[in-house]
């Protein structure tokens, strides 16, 4: 298998460093009004762990490995699906006074307020 | 050949997914684009999950005979876990959001721990670095899982008062050190190392057991008022665990997503802790809320003055400016719709109405913003602490609904108070303060509130929703009388 994704420790550290920096900067100037949906949204994003669970389960060769892999996928899928469901519901509710209150899910937001 | 193509397809899709996560998160950080942000990230997730079925062309020879069963298990786990959590997430009340985030986060931690367990029991981790990273991910993931379950139980009301006993910190420290020691033992006795005494699998099981127990012990003494910070830190923990297991599996998408969430969660945790003027360590280890039970608050004299809901409602109707300070009591009473109904009456009567949100109001950062948004309150009426605090002195009436510590002036003046130094909303500086509160007594954190004894403060006892209904009736009654 020549197309594998093995990496040296330093490449991994570079990935961690850059990803960590990206996360820090992206959240850095988020208005407090979005803290809960954002926590929920980032919670959804680490639901990608389900992919690792699938890898482990598909490579399982003993019953204990299969059992643990099953639970890893089960929990990871719950993390991803549940995280998406609650985040989507929360974000659909945000609107400003300029928008129509009857359909919050489709309402447009007319202006933004920047807060630290 | 098929294996190589699969690898390339998985690698390319995961790269796109990682980009979509970052892009989605960026869009989620502004109210105007937030709703589309989660969908962008969602597309990345679906693509990454679907393409990971291509792993079947790349699996180990040892797993080949089990492929059909494993595939069935995978589909079943995805269906049960995904559909179940989706259904619950769609149905659950907005007020229960904090505990839902806690439980979904715990599931992610458990999944990371599970991946680590498969790697460890199957002795797949090669080399000391991989083994150490696997164990670290396992430890953090397991702590995040059991800790989040305890956080859920506390928020859901399954668990009552924080459990505290003497020597607790020493016990917790010892348990943590034991987990590290067992982890180190596993590393040193790995194939080629020293004899393990017990089978390695037993040590691995002990390691997970200790880690889970540590998560429980660490969360049990923390008071409910501190749960926002705790959920946020476990969110960061799960991110880290996912990132570490991503490294072990050689999956950069997991590494990037995990570390982005780890860093974002850490920053969010620090922002929250700063809002309470405490360090994260202080939140986790100080047994906050213990102090007032023992300390004497001699400074507070006088009694709480009670008033009727209708009187308070009418006074607000004739005020020129009103600031509303919502807290967890509003969420608990599901009073947000009635509150906005009342606010609309005031607005119609040309009263200037604004909402003041303390950074740690409720059980999760921004929970009040979400509740008010659910009721339809436009977010340009909603102000954060720094933006509105100077205006309390020139405001006629402040209505505090089920909030307590965040308006306690003792944080400014009383050095013996456990919340001394925490930035608060200066509600006491308004001409008149009304506080809607379920009953006499202390709030969730157990601290006496000096505001309630101030001469310009009057209490309206009762369920927030019931009180607001009375206020609405009183103000409507005025309109009818005038017409």
């Amino acid at each position: 298998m020549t197309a594998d994704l093995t990496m040296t420790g330093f490449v991994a550290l570079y990935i961690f460093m850059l990803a960590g920096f990206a996360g820090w900067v992206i959240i850095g100037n988020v208005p407090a009004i979005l803290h809960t949906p954002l926590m929920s949204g980032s919670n959804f994003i680490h639901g990608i762990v389900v992919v690792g669970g699938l890898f482990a389960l598909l490579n399982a060769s003993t019953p204990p490995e299969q059992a643990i892999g099953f639970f890893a996928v089960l929990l990871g899928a719950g993390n991803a699906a549940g995280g998406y469901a609650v985040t989507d519901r929360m974000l659909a509710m945000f609107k400003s006074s300029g928008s129509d209150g009857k359909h919050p899910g489709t309402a447009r937001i007319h202006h933004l307020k920047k807060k630290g | 050949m098929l294996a190589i193509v699969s690898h390339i397809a998985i690698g390319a899709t995961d790269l796109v997914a990682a980009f979509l996560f970052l892009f989605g998160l960026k869009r989620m950080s502004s109210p105007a684009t937030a709703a589309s942000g989660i969908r962008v990230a969602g597309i990345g997730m679906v693509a990454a999950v679907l393409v990971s079925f291509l792993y079947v062309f790349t699996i180990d020879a040892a797993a080949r005979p089990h492929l059909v069963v494993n595939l069935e298990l995978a589909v079943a786990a995805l269906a049960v876990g995904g559909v179940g959590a989706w259904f619950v997430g769609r149905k659950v009340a907005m007020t229960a959001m904090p505990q839902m985030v806690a439980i979904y986060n715990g599931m992610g931690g458990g999944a990371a721990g599970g991946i680590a367990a498969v790697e460890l029991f199957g002795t797949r981790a090669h080399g000391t670095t991989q083994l150490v990273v696997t164990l670290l991910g396992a430890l953090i993931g397991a702590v995040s899982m059991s800790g989040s379950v305890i956080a859920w139980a506390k928020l859901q009301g399954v668990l009552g008062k924080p459990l505290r006993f003497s020597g607790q910190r020493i016990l917790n420290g010892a348990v943590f050190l034991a987990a590290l020691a067992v982890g180190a033992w596993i590393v040193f006795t790995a194939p080629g190392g020293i004899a393990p005494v017990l089978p390695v699998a037993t040590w691995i099981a002990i390691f997970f057991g200790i880690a889970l127990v540590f998560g429980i012990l660490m969360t049990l003494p923390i008071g409910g008022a501190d749960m926002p910070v705790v959920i946020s830190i476990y969110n960061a923990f799960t991110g880290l665990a996912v990132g570490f297991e991503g490294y072990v599996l050689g999956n950069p998408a997991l590494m990037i997503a995990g570390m982005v969430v780890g860093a974002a969660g850490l920053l969010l945790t620090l922002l929250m802790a700063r809002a309470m003027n405490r360090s994260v360590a202080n939140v986790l280890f100080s047994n906050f809320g213990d102090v007032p039970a023992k300390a004497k608050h001699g400074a507070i004299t006088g009694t709480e003055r009670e008033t009727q809901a209708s009187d308070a409602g009418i006074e607000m109707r004739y005020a020129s400016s009103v600031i509303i300070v919502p807290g967890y009591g509003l969420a608990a009473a599901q009073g947000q719709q009635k509150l906005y109904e009342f606010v609309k009456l005031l607005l119609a009567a040309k009263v200037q109405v604004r909402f003041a949100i303390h950074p740690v109001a409720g059980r999760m950062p921004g929970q009040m913003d979400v509740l008010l948004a659910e009721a339809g309150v436009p977010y340009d009426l909603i102000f954060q602490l720094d933006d509105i605090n100077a205006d309390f002195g020139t405001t006629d009436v402040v209505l505090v609904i089920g909030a307590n510590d965040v308006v306690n002036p003792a944080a400014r003046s009383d050095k013996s108070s456990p919340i001394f130094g925490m930035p608060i909303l200066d509600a006491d500086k308004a001409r008149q303060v009304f506080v809607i509160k379920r009953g006499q007594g202390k709030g969730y954190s157990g601290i006496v509130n000096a505001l309630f004894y101030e001469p310009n403060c009057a209490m309206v006892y009762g369920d927030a929703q019931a009180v607001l209904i009375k206020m609405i009736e009183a103000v409507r009654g005025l309109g009818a009388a005038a017409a």
Side-chain angles (χ1 to χ4, degrees):
Chain A
M1 272 177 256
T2 51
D4 63 345
L5 291 163
T6 52
M7 63 193 82
T8 66
F10 270 109
V11 174
L13 286 176
Y14 278 111
I15 293 177
F16 280 149
M17 186 267 288
L18 290 170
F21 190 72
W24 188 276
V25 170
I26 289 172
I27 302 297
N29 41 29
V30 70
I33 192 168
L34 281 171
H35 277 177
T36 288
L38 204 75
M39 183 144 87
S40 176
S42 59
N43 179 41
F44 159 71
I45 285 173
H46 66 52
I48 187 69
V49 70
V50 68
V51 167
L54 281 170
F55 179 84
L57 174 56
L58 292 176
N59 280 294
S61 51
T62 64
E65 281 180 23
Q66 288 174 313
I68 301 169
F70 176 81
F71 278 106
V73 176
L74 186 81
L75 294 175
N79 182 179
Y84 185 92
V86 297
T87 311
D88 190 47
R89 271 180 67 194
M90 278 191 262
L91 290 176
M93 297 179 318
F94 282 92
K95 64 184 187 339
S96 78
S97 49
S99 57
D100 180 353
K102 278 171 190 145
H103 302 287
T106 54
R108 295 217 158 231
I109 289 159
H110 291 294
H111 70 275
L112 283 179
K113 250 187 325 209
K114 280 276 174 194
K115 284 172 194 159
Chain B
M1 186 58 202
L2 207 50
I4 295 172
V5 173
S6 299
H7 266 299
I8 293 171
I10 292 169
T13 309
D14 282 1
L15 181 66
V16 173
F19 169 76
L20 291 177
F21 289 158
L22 283 168
F23 187 61
L25 200 60
K26 178 67 196 158
R27 289 185 77 78
M28 267 186 259
S29 64
S30 160
T33 55
S36 70
I38 183 70
R39 298 200 178 114
V40 167
I43 292 168
M45 186 71 73
V46 171
V49 169
L50 288 181
V51 82
S52 54
F53 277 93
L54 289 176
Y55 280 133
V56 297
F57 299 115
T58 71
I59 57 174
D60 303 340
R64 285 255 153 81
H66 308 283
L67 185 56
V68 175
V69 177
N70 286 351
L71 266 176
E72 286 169 1
L73 286 174
V75 172
L78 279 178
V80 174
V83 174
W86 177 271
F87 186 73
V88 176
R90 283 274 147 202
K91 286 269 157 192
V92 71
M94 272 297 149
T95 44
M97 279 302 149
Q99 49 265 52
M100 288 322 290
V101 173
I103 202 72
Y104 293 141
N105 180 54
M107 292 172 98
I115 294 167
V118 173
E119 297 294 311
L120 290 169
F121 284 121
T123 58
R124 287 200 173 81
H126 301 297
T128 309
T129 311
Q130 283 221 349
L131 195 53
V132 170
V133 175
T134 311
L135 285 165
L136 273 179
L139 175 64
I140 300 169
V143 167
S144 176
M145 174 164 89
S146 59
S148 294
V149 170
I150 298 297
W152 169 83
K154 279 170 181 269
L155 290 166
Q156 189 72 22
V158 178
L159 278 178
K161 279 189 173 277
L163 178 76
R164 295 177 183 130
F165 48 87
S166 60
Q168 189 165 29
R169 252 187 284 180
I170 296 167
L171 175 72
N172 290 2
V175 172
F176 181 66
L177 286 179
L180 290 186
V182 174
W185 184 249
I186 293 170
V187 173
F188 288 128
T189 59
I194 49 178
V197 186
L198 289 171
V200 173
T202 310
W203 284 114
I204 296 169
I206 292 172
F207 177 75
F208 276 104
I210 297 175
L212 289 171
V213 168
F214 179 68
I216 295 171
L217 288 177
M218 190 169 130
T219 321
L220 276 178
I222 301 174
D226 282 341
M227 275 305 136
V229 181
V230 173
I231 296 174
S232 179
I233 204 163
Y234 284 142
N235 189 37
F237 274 15
T238 302
L240 276 184
V242 171
F244 286 164
E245 298 313 324
Y247 167 74
V248 176
L249 298 178
N251 187 324
L254 261 69
M255 294 170 67
I256 291 171
M259 203 50 68
V260 164
V261 174
L266 179 66
L267 178 58
L268 208 50
T269 310
L270 291 172
L271 288 176
M272 273 183 260
R274 196 184 301 156
M276 297 192 290
N277 197 34
R278 295 162 63 203
S279 69
V280 175
N282 182 266
V283 171
L284 292 178
F285 304 120
S286 73
N287 287 1
F288 182 67
D290 232 6
V291 194
K294 293 170 194 158
K296 288 267 179 282
H297 285 264
I300 295 169
T301 51
T303 49
E304 299 184 5
R305 193 163 59 83
E306 190 179 348
T307 192
Q308 292 305 311
S310 49
D311 295 344
I314 289 166
E315 185 160 348
M316 279 182 270
R317 159 68 180 75
Y318 288 109
S320 64
S321 57
V322 171
I323 295 179
I324 296 170
V325 179
Y328 184 70
L330 179 69
Q334 299 274 9
Q336 62 271 29
Q337 307 286 354
K338 289 293 165 199
L339 175 60
Y340 188 41
E341 206 178 319
F342 177 62
V343 166
K344 278 191 277 194
L345 286 177
L346 295 183
L347 289 171
K350 302 279 182 264
V351 181
Q352 183 204 31
V353 184
R354 288 176 293 172
F355 293 85
I357 312 285
H358 191 275
V360 293
R363 296 288 180 270
M364 206 155 77
Q367 186 189 8
M368 289 304 130
D369 302 282
V370 170
L371 270 193
L372 295 177
E374 186 198 13
V377 177
Y379 65 75
D380 40 12
L381 295 185
I382 300 173
F383 293 83
Q384 309 300 325
L385 184 133
D386 291 339
D387 300 322
I388 200 165
N389 224 11
D391 296 357
F392 279 103
T394 55
T395 297
D396 290 340
V397 181
V398 170
L399 176 63
V400 177
I401 307 176
N404 197 336
D405 295 334
V406 299
V407 290
N408 188 348
R412 284 198 314 258
S413 55
D414 179 5
K415 283 199 174 144
S416 70
S417 171
I419 59 167
F420 179 73
M422 175 172 115
I424 57 154
L425 290 162
D426 297 330
D428 58 312
K429 294 189 175 162
R431 193 173 57 75
Q432 172 68 49
V433 182
F434 293 113
V435 178
I436 302 179
K437 200 161 168 292
R438 206 154 345 158
Q440 276 173 310
K442 298 166 195 159
Y444 203 32
S445 70
I447 301 169
V448 177
N449 194 334
L451 171 69
F452 302 164
Y453 301 90
E454 296 283 334
N456 63 338
C457 178
M459 313 295 292
V460 185
Y461 294 115
D463 172 84
Q465 184 164 330
V467 169
L468 285 162
I469 290 171
K470 281 186 202 152
M471 288 182 172
I472 292 166
E473 283 168 358
V475 174
R476 286 231 171 96
L478 281 178

